[in-house]
Amino acid sequence: MGHVDVDAFDSLLGEEGQSLLSALRDYDPAHELATATRLRRDHPPALVSAALTQAELRQRAVAKFGAEDAYRMYFTPNGVEQSTRTSVADYRAARFVEFGVRRVADLCCGIGGDAIALARAGISVLAVDRDPLTCAVARANAEALGLAGLIEVRCADVTEIDTAPFDAVFVDPARRGGRGRVFDPEAYSPPLSWAIEAARTTPRAALKIAPGIPHEAIPPDAEAEWISDHGNVKEAVLWFGTARPGMRRATLLPGGHSLLGTCRLPDPDPGPVGRWLYEPDGAVIRAHLVADVAARIGGRLIDPTIAYITTDELRPTPYATAYEITDVLPFNLKKLKALLREREVGIATIKKRGSAVEPEQLRKKLRLEGVNACTILLTRSEGSPTMLLGHPARV
């Protein structure tokens, strides 16, 4: 996919560019060369290249933005990769509204995913990025979605923005360098330390950070929130000015369940695997709130080092997936094969936590055949490798 400059991108916004984009809505990127050759007979090569790039990016963006928005919006390759998915951006915008925020400085706005959610929630946004193409794309998105009256895009270095006139700042530093993801918060662009100082200049603030941030890097005056969507952890946010400093929050979308704790609750004593096993949501694990979930359901850990909770009675919770356990056995491949053959198991969901066994390699060795389904959990229980068999609880 070719690099698109600002002029080529601007040409897409004209009549010829728009009709090309409409024609390419269902285009198959596997046929890029043939499509490009055909279109270049009637259109300038730079415009064709920009339109093909945009058509492919829109298709990739559907997963994050939904088809209705994705096919009206514009993207850069980095923008698709790094932007917030709509469900998460909408949730965060709603929190800003709850805090009474009316004006936000969105620093490192990218293609404008968060600015769009904020504007749709009725908040006026100054969206800032230093890359001219990214700013042109963010501006086009505000126009395309009818939000230009609430979003002002400014091409500038975020460190030079005066945040005093705003109720809140939102900072989403770039977390990818030339060699992929950046794990050191000081290697973010701008660095996390700068973003934290910027957050303290306004009454409220939110900083988007990588979910794997070490807890010791979280400042004591921030509330840290981990957000999952359909069970997958999407991001973490440091909130300032929320009256919950030092707290940890796990929020599960789309349900919107939010668990708040201090992550200081001691882990429950481990014990034998009971009839029910619970796999906490990834956001709960990242927020170090497994003990809080265990306390809510009266559960125990199956091992001091493993984030599986067990109970003898079913106590459903939105913060963990429950399984009914039928067998608890020391790990043994021969025994497992024999059991699954005897029970005619042809469909297996294989999960692991604290086990060196790779699920896909195990699946090949099992050679499953039959009409029945089973969940296999490879883990450690009371210090030794264990296999648990069961199925999702019927709640």
Side-chain angles (χ1 to χ4, degrees):
M1 229 169 27
H3 175 73
V4 178
D5 62 21
V6 177
D7 291 339
F9 175 72
D10 282 343
S11 67
L12 278 179
L13 305 177
E15 207 172 307
E16 190 179 0
Q18 291 296 299
S19 70
L20 258 181
L21 280 176
S22 307
L24 287 168
R25 180 175 168 130
D26 299 318
Y27 130 90
D28 180 354
H31 303 148
E32 182 175 8
L33 195 60
T35 309
T37 308
R38 178 172 53 79
L39 293 175
R40 281 186 183 130
R41 290 182 202 132
D42 305 311
H43 305 283
L47 180 62
V48 170
S49 173
L52 287 169
T53 295
Q54 208 48 244
E56 185 183 342
L57 291 172
R58 283 177 164 184
Q59 289 175 5
R60 278 169 48 196
V62 169
K64 274 188 179 180
F65 291 88
E68 195 183 328
D69 279 353
Y71 284 108
R72 291 190 290 164
M73 289 171 69
Y74 301 90
F75 301 94
T76 62
N78 265 357
V80 171
E81 199 66 35
Q82 296 186 21
S83 54
T84 308
R85 62 179 47 230
T86 300
S87 56
V88 177
D90 287 349
Y91 162 75
R92 187 166 35 236
R95 274 203 89 179
F96 272 125
V97 169
E98 270 173 37
F99 295 136
V101 169
R102 308 296 311 142
R103 292 190 73 198
V104 171
D106 177 1
L107 309 179
C108 314
C109 67
I111 56 144
D114 279 282
I116 288 162
L118 290 162
R120 281 178 167 164
I123 293 169
S124 101
V125 186
L126 171 67
V128 184
D129 205 283
R130 67 179 175 196
D131 177 61
L133 175 61
T134 302
C135 289
V137 170
R139 211 169 275 123
N141 284 336
E143 287 281 347
L145 300 177
L147 299 167
L150 282 166
I151 299 173
E152 178 199 337
V153 179
R154 191 180 297 172
C155 199
D157 186 324
V158 295
T159 61
E160 288 161 18
I161 298 296
D162 174 18
T163 54
F166 297 90
D167 311 330
V169 295
F170 171 64
V171 192
D172 180 4
R175 292 186 303 285
R176 282 167 199 268
R179 295 192 301 277
R181 284 175 188 270
V182 172
F183 292 100
D184 172 12
E186 283 311 291
Y188 291 0
S189 177
L192 182 61
S193 54
W194 177 86
I196 289 167
E197 289 312 311
R200 292 170 177 151
T201 62
T202 52
R204 316 263 185 208
L207 310 182
K208 184 171 158 180
I209 51 170
I213 188 170
H215 278 237
E216 52 274 22
I218 297 167
D221 55 335
E223 174 202 307
E225 178 176 34
W226 282 261
I227 302 169
S228 68
D229 190 14
H230 291 92
N232 298 313
V233 181
K234 291 301 170 191
E235 64 182 62
V237 190
L238 299 182
W239 289 94
F240 293 80
T242 67
R244 300 281 192 182
M247 299 293 269
R248 303 287 182 261
R249 184 186 292 272
T251 297
L252 282 51
L253 301 178
H257 298 284
S258 217
L259 178 66
L260 191 65
T262 61
C263 78
R264 291 193 202 98
L265 206 60
D267 284 336
D269 289 335
V273 177
R275 184 175 168 193
W276 305 96
L277 188 90
Y278 303 79
E279 179 183 26
D281 184 270
V284 168
I285 294 171
R286 294 285 185 137
H288 295 181
L289 296 176
V290 172
D292 296 64
V293 174
R296 282 174 167 236
I297 60 174
R300 56 190 177 267
L301 297 182
I302 65 167
D303 188 276
T305 62
I306 305 287
Y308 278 143
I309 302 166
T310 187
T311 61
D312 301 313
E313 286 167 38
L314 179 60
R315 298 202 173 105
T317 169
Y319 301 110
T321 305
Y323 296 91
E324 183 169 12
I325 300 302
T326 53
D327 301 83
V328 182
L329 302 158
F331 181 76
N332 179 311
L333 181 60
K334 222 168 144 183
K335 179 90 197 246
L336 182 60
K337 278 174 90 165
L339 252 180
L340 297 175
R341 196 176 305 121
E342 185 188 308
R343 293 179 190 176
E344 296 180 6
V345 170
I347 305 152
T349 303
I350 305 173
K351 293 176 158 289
K352 73 168 212 162
R353 183 157 291 164
S355 166
V357 180
E358 282 307 322
E360 285 320 303
Q361 288 174 343
L362 177 65
R363 185 183 298 282
K364 283 183 194 138
K365 289 176 183 165
L366 291 175
R367 297 200 189 95
L368 299 166
E369 280 175 40
V371 291
N372 297 319
C374 174
T375 300
I376 303 163
L377 301 114
L378 307 170
T379 187
R380 272 201 313 277
S381 170
E382 301 180 80
S384 48
T386 302
M387 49 190 194
L388 310 176
L389 274 58
H391 47 78
R394 295 174 186 85
V395 179

